[in-house]
Amino acid sequence: MFYMIYAQDTPDSLALRQQHRPQHLQRLQTLQSAGKLLLAGPLPAIDSPDPGDAGFSGSLIVAEFESLEAATTWANDDPFVHAGVYAQVTVNPFRKTLP
């Protein structure tokens, strides 16, 4: 089943986000290589694909996991969580309808 991981950044976390991005992306690439990643990306803090110094307000990941518990465990072990980039992480089941 797919699960949506919605993470909200702590204020002024851009420097931490940039510092820990390679480790964060490596975990996502592992999911992608396993065919389990539906989508992933940051949420710009302003209405722009490149928010510059405004940074990001969070991230959205939709991926396949064995259970809600497995998805939550995976999400809570993210380098962004350990580094304090994310203030809050929410994990919910997700049913893909379209396309």
Side-chain angles (χ1 to χ4, degrees):
M1 179 164 188
F2 285 109
Y3 294 88
M4 175 209 71
I5 300 167
Y6 172 62
Q8 295 174 286
D9 282 17
T10 59
D12 302 315
S13 62
L14 183 59
L16 281 175
R17 181 182 267 275
Q18 291 169 333
Q19 180 182 353
H20 297 280
R21 187 172 186 262
Q23 298 92 335
H24 172 76
L25 288 179
Q26 182 178 10
R27 294 180 82 235
L28 292 171
Q29 289 168 345
T30 299
L31 281 179
Q32 184 176 15
S33 294
K36 297 187 177 283
L37 185 65
L38 185 62
L39 65 88
L43 306 171
I46 60 172
D47 189 13
S48 172
D50 181 6
D53 291 338
F56 299 92
S57 62
S59 299
L60 175 65
I61 300 165
V62 179
E64 186 177 3
F65 292 92
E66 294 177 13
S67 65
L68 178 59
E69 181 180 353
T72 301
T73 298
W74 185 91
N76 288 333
D77 197 32
D78 193 282
F80 282 178
V81 171
H82 295 297
V85 174
Y86 292 156
Q88 181 177 349
V89 177
T90 303
V91 181
N92 291 107
F94 178 85
R95 192 179 83 182
K96 183 178 181 224
T97 301
L98 294 171

